[in-house]
Amino acid sequence: MKVIVDDNFWEVFPDAQISILSVKGLNNQVDESQEPYFQDLLHQASKKALAFLPDESFSQNEVIQEWREAFGKFKTKKGARSSIEALLKRVSQGREFRPINPLVDLYNSISLAYALPCGGEDVASIQGDLHLGKAKGGESFFPLGAEEDAPALPEEIIYYDEAGAVCRNLNWREAQRTMLTENTKDAILVIEAVNPRQKVRAQEAMEALNQLIHDYFDVTGQVTHLTHQQPSVTI
């Protein structure tokens, strides 16, 4: 299986970096005895996230402006925002994060601590290769809890496979079909960066995420930073 960033993505974001972490042989079952660990991990990450919100006006913070500018460069569903904006909004409102499942909790903690969009997919649920690029339009998409198809728009930037859209608007919202669950054994985790400052943070963030996964699951993943010069990886 390959992860491929299409040429039309680099046309929009030539300086971007899509960091990929492939991990295999996981036991992602929820262990209630570990809930205090994950609760504290998310709490500490939320405190670190405050460093990225120095301006009282939420929309004026640099990280928010960077991602809104990025989302202005391609066709999006009305109201779509980067996943990191949604997390930081909760931090700004003083809202606590509750554990979901180990993999999701680990990447959410990294997303918060480094103020970068993170996501993850179940490898077993992906059909063919996983691509990131512009949608043709009409790619099938069922987000969590949806009963009706919400297909991608033409020119929208999506993650997709042979069966349809996996994530819409970069990492804004993901399909229930490929989401990480307690039954996930093999996973692809992604951290997105669209400018040089974010790229440096993303490399540090991916190292930290790989270490967290190693410490919790006793599994070491394969890290690749995809760029215009290296747009694909086989996992």
Side-chain angles (χ1 to χ4, degrees):
M1 173 184 169
K2 289 186 176 181
V3 180
I4 303 166
V5 182
D6 299 341
D7 289 343
N8 54 28
F9 172 85
W10 303 116
E11 291 169 4
V12 181
F13 297 110
D15 297 323
Q17 174 183 279
I18 305 299
S19 299
I20 304 293
L21 173 58
S22 170
V23 287
K24 301 178 179 180
L26 304 169
N27 176 5
N28 199 41
Q29 293 291 313
V30 172
D31 179 350
E32 291 184 1
S33 70
Q34 294 296 312
E35 182 167 336
Y37 164 74
F38 287 110
Q39 191 67 65
D40 184 64
L41 190 69
L42 292 165
H43 179 69
Q44 296 302 323
S46 295
K47 290 169 64 175
K48 292 178 181 177
L50 289 171
F52 295 93
L53 300 172
D55 199 306
E56 288 187 13
S57 175
F58 181 76
S59 64
Q60 295 305 304
N61 287 289
E62 182 178 57
V63 65
I64 304 303
Q65 292 187 334
E66 286 177 338
W67 282 103
R68 289 190 180 182
E69 179 183 350
F71 270 49
K73 292 182 177 181
F74 61 93
K75 179 70 173 179
T76 62
K77 187 179 187 302
K78 185 177 180 180
R81 301 290 194 192
S82 171
S83 64
I84 187 56
E85 177 168 339
L87 292 183
L88 291 176
K89 188 69 173 179
R90 292 182 65 176
V91 170
S92 72
Q93 296 169 343
R95 296 165 61 191
E96 289 286 327
F97 292 87
R98 300 292 301 169
I100 299 172
N101 67 54
L103 268 178
V104 173
D105 298 337
L106 293 178
Y107 83 62
N108 274 341
S109 75
I110 292 297
S111 184
L112 287 163
Y114 291 87
L116 290 164
C118 300
E121 309 301 334
D122 189 318
V123 170
S125 302
I126 296 172
Q127 299 186 28
D129 295 329
L130 179 65
H131 289 257
L132 172 62
K134 286 186 176 180
K136 295 177 181 178
E139 287 88 347
S140 180
F141 182 76
F142 285 83
L144 180 63
E147 296 182 0
E148 296 183 356
D149 195 5
L153 302 171
E155 301 291 300
E156 181 181 338
I157 290 183
I158 63 171
Y159 292 86
Y160 67 96
D161 65 3
E162 293 177 359
V166 170
C167 280
R168 289 186 57 187
N169 299 292
L170 287 169
N171 196 42
W172 165 64
R173 186 164 294 171
E174 70 172 331
Q176 182 170 338
R177 173 173 62 89
T178 60
M179 67 186 288
L180 301 175
T181 71
E182 288 189 65
N183 295 320
T184 297
K185 305 298 183 188
D186 304 332
I188 295 173
L189 304 173
V190 177
I191 297 179
E192 299 167 344
V194 292
N195 63 42
R197 292 186 305 280
Q198 291 181 4
K199 286 163 73 171
V200 173
R201 290 211 311 278
Q203 291 182 14
E204 295 173 357
M206 193 55 94
E207 289 181 13
L209 179 56
N210 201 13
Q211 187 64 53
L212 281 175
I213 287 173
H214 173 75
D215 292 347
Y216 185 80
F217 294 105
D218 195 23
V219 169
T220 299
Q222 170 191 335
V223 175
T224 308
H225 303 287
L226 299 182
T227 64
H228 199 181
Q229 291 71 39
Q230 183 185 353
S232 67
V233 62
T234 300
I235 64 166

